[in-house]
Amino acid sequence: CLCVHVHGSSPVHVHLTSDMLAHTHARCGASDSEAAIVLLHGFLGDRRDVEPLRQKLGALADCISLDLPGHGDSAWMPTIDAGTSAVDAALATLEALCPPPARLLLVGYSMGGRVALQLAARLPPPRLAGLVILSGSPGLDDGALREARLSRDVALAARLRAMTPPHFDEWLRREWYRAALWGGRLQEHPSFERMLLRRTDGAQPRDRAASLERESVGRQPSCWPWLEAPPAPVLYVAGEEDEAYCKVATRLAEHSGVAEPVERRLVRVAVLPAAGHALLLEASAPVAEICHAFASQVLPPPLVPASPPPAEGVRIQARGPEGVDALSARLLPFRLPLTAPLPLARGPPVTERAGVLLLVEGMAADGRAVRGLGEVCPLPGFHSESLDEAAAQLRSVAHRLQGALLPFAVARLDGSMSAWLAAACDRPSKSVSGPLLPSVRCALEMACLHLLAQAANTSIAQLVCCARRAPYQSHVRINGLLARGEVSSLEAAADAARAAVDSARPSSRACASGPAVKHAAARMRTWKVKVGGGDPAADG
């Protein structure tokens, strides 16, 4: 259990477990909220699909958007059992992130709508504030229809497992998004290519296949009986060009008590014009408005916390009586040999990494001793300063932190950190002149943030998000280092792509557009995009 307590906010308790789904958690402002809005994406998507909806609803309550099993960042989490259903995984994650008695408004699109509906049926009635289903199926009543649907999904899953990423991209364009439920204009939408990139970026078709088989409508119990008398208000939304789900909307409307005023109906139905199944893309603004209006009616007003007493922060203290030899900021040189030489763009290969660790010790408000760690490790040939120059400046700056008060406000990363460092390092010194070197500034900022996070009993990510009142991302994508001359799978893919394109040039246009060349070009494009030098919409 992590207790986050930063300047200008109340304590936030977060229970984290290794089997939680990847998620974005945006807090409305009050800690221990009375309610939270849960957003669930559809098949092949991830939590990025519901981000515009989260931004619209974020002023009403805490918002939690999940990557369902086999999708987004959750697809890369080895702690999630491949056999765990989306309903079970989502329920476990929500119990950790938003435990009782907080009430939940569940919002799900397509497959996420089915998951939300099954979650609603399993939650204790006091926990459920409401349910929004965006083009989701309540299930099939007929056993024969369920078996037929399961057979189709199993067959499609087998096809997906056999697909390479380029074939997956081609299947999405030529088959999946040409189905009748999408209407006839989806691929003409200006955001279609961006949406398609989210479907293919880093995706493994086998993960999607496992999800399709596991979450098939054919395996889903029928929730029609639950919808006849739900314990909380339900909103069902469909696009008028999505014939199958318009039929679901019609059936629900017929049993929702049309004689009652809309606000008193337990099941409310909305059909949006000029939209097919892709409601989050083709009707994003109307969907956000109708969800906001519904949420405003079913959720309690958000809590506005009283301003807490100012939190001082962390006092950086000296260990010795004079604060000269035994300082709170200590420097620890290190030298680490590499397992293999690292070729760089310029200069000789690097065989070891040498640097200095900065250990800053302080006292939290509750009297605990806390430590923060930073690192100075300039890369030869790339940083303008040498390690000796950086270490000398860091040594002269470190003692000036003695007795300084490090405020939590610097974690907002809005310029407060730079201002604090400038003030702290502006004390008289005989050995320092000029601005802080980049590697020295990095070490100081790293150590300060780590120190504050330790004082708040949390991670640096949680600290910064809480200080900035920004959404917390459980997982982020990071950059990697591709060394010149390294024989990696990415370079092999690039070489194969170049060879395939070169060999195709003398041939006919038909040969140049063959599957092998398309496959290699797609791998080359993926490599370029990953290292920041490619256009995802380009052909090669």
Side-chain angles (χ1 to χ4, degrees):
C1 174
L2 303 179
C3 178
V4 187
H5 192 168
V6 301
H7 178 65
S9 71
S10 303
V12 174
H13 298 274
V14 182
H15 300 265
L16 301 178
T17 60
S18 61
D19 57 350
M20 288 171 58
L21 292 173
H23 58 274
T24 298
H25 193 174
R27 296 195 175 273
C28 182
S31 65
D32 298 327
S33 289
E34 291 185 349
I37 301 172
V38 181
L39 303 170
L40 304 175
H41 62 81
F43 179 58
L44 302 179
D46 58 42
R47 66 188 191 273
R48 292 175 293 177
D49 291 350
V50 297
E51 181 61 17
L53 193 54
R54 183 199 65 75
Q55 294 179 10
K56 178 69 174 180
L57 301 177
L60 300 177
D62 289 3
C63 286
I64 302 170
S65 48
L66 305 179
D67 279 346
L68 295 173
H71 294 77
D73 294 320
S74 291
W76 303 95
M77 296 174 62
T79 55
I80 297 179
D81 192 307
T84 302
S85 72
V87 177
D88 290 337
L91 187 59
T93 302
L94 295 176
E95 288 296 305
L97 291 177
C98 193
R103 307 188 72 204
L104 302 176
L105 170 59
L106 305 175
V107 182
Y109 162 70
S110 194
M111 181 185 76
R114 294 193 285 111
V115 173
L117 179 52
Q118 295 173 76
L119 278 171
R122 289 177 56 174
L123 285 175
R127 280 273 275 163
L128 183 64
L131 170 65
V132 179
I133 307 172
L134 306 173
S135 296
S137 171
L140 301 172
D141 294 320
D142 186 88
L145 291 177
R146 286 198 297 271
E147 290 181 7
R149 175 58 184 267
L150 179 58
S151 296
R152 292 199 302 271
D153 287 343
V154 169
L156 178 55
R159 288 184 60 197
L160 287 173
R161 288 190 178 92
M163 289 183 188
T164 61
H167 293 149
F168 180 58
D169 182 290
E170 188 172 4
W171 170 78
L172 288 174
R173 295 177 184 275
R174 295 191 177 185
E175 292 188 44
W176 183 254
Y177 287 118
R178 291 187 182 276
L181 80 167
W182 303 105
R185 301 185 299 273
L186 177 60
Q187 298 200 33
E188 301 172 6
H189 195 280
S191 297
F192 174 77
E193 289 297 330
R194 184 176 297 274
M195 183 269 289
L196 194 71
L197 179 62
R198 292 198 300 271
R199 302 292 180 266
T200 57
D201 178 28
Q204 297 292 332
R206 63 176 179 270
D207 294 328
R208 309 304 189 262
S211 175
L212 176 65
E213 224 172 338
R214 184 177 56 245
E215 310 301 336
S216 169
V217 178
R219 298 188 191 276
Q220 174 186 335
S222 174
C223 293
W224 284 103
W226 185 89
L227 285 167
E228 292 177 0
V234 175
L235 171 64
Y236 188 90
V237 185
E240 68 173 359
E241 297 178 8
D242 185 355
E243 182 180 352
Y245 291 91
C246 276
K247 291 180 179 179
V248 174
T250 300
R251 179 176 171 181
L252 287 171
E254 291 173 349
H255 296 86
S256 63
V258 292
E260 295 283 347
V262 173
E263 63 275 6
R264 293 179 57 185
R265 298 175 192 169
L266 282 177
V267 179
R268 310 169 196 179
V269 174
V271 176
L272 303 181
H277 192 68
L279 290 177
L280 296 179
L281 185 70
E282 295 181 304
S284 57
V287 165
E289 290 295 336
I290 196 172
C291 287
H292 187 277
F294 180 78
S296 300
Q297 295 172 8
V298 303
L299 291 176
L303 295 175
V304 179
S307 297
E312 281 194 335
V314 179
R315 179 73 64 178
I316 302 178
Q317 298 182 345
R319 289 177 148 223
E322 299 179 3
V324 176
D325 296 324
L327 295 178
S328 60
R330 293 188 290 162
L331 274 59
L332 307 172
F334 70 87
R335 193 172 293 273
L336 299 174
L338 302 184
T339 57
L342 177 64
L344 299 176
R346 53 180 177 267
V350 175
T351 58
E352 66 176 10
R353 295 293 280 136
V356 176
L357 295 179
L358 170 65
L359 180 64
V360 179
E361 299 178 310
M363 190 72 69
D366 58 5
R368 288 180 298 112
V370 290
R371 295 179 175 182
L373 199 62
E375 178 190 77
V376 166
C377 192
L379 189 62
F382 289 84
H383 282 84
S384 58
E385 67 269 21
S386 68
L387 175 59
D388 290 340
E389 292 170 335
Q393 187 183 74
L394 183 62
R395 190 176 299 109
S396 65
V397 168
H399 78 273
R400 284 185 276 172
L401 300 179
Q402 175 192 342
L405 176 66
L406 177 62
F408 278 109
V410 302
R412 292 200 296 263
L413 304 184
D414 58 356
S416 303
M417 176 73 81
S418 294
W420 183 85
L421 284 175
C425 296
D426 195 31
R427 303 180 183 185
S429 173
K430 298 180 180 179
S431 56
V432 176
S433 60
L436 291 175
L437 298 171
S439 60
V440 173
R441 175 177 293 275
C442 176
L444 290 167
E445 292 180 353
M446 188 188 308
C448 289
L449 288 175
H450 190 206
L451 189 71
L452 290 174
Q454 292 295 303
N457 286 322
T458 188
S459 66
I460 293 177
Q462 287 273 13
L463 171 82
V464 171
C465 288
C466 195
R468 294 173 62 88
R469 298 194 182 280
Y472 167 71
Q473 306 281 353
S474 67
H475 293 71
V476 295
R477 300 184 180 191
I478 62 174
N479 293 323
L481 175 64
L482 293 179
R484 182 183 292 261
E486 179 184 7
V487 182
S488 66
S489 59
L490 289 176
E491 286 185 321
D495 292 340
R498 294 190 189 96
V501 172
D502 290 343
S503 63
R505 280 173 181 160
S507 305
S508 66
R509 180 178 297 271
C511 176
S513 61
V517 174
K518 283 188 175 181
H519 182 94
R523 295 182 70 184
M524 179 65 174
R525 181 169 64 252
T526 300
W527 176 69
K528 290 166 63 181
V529 169
K530 293 298 184 186
V531 298
D535 179 4
D539 291 332

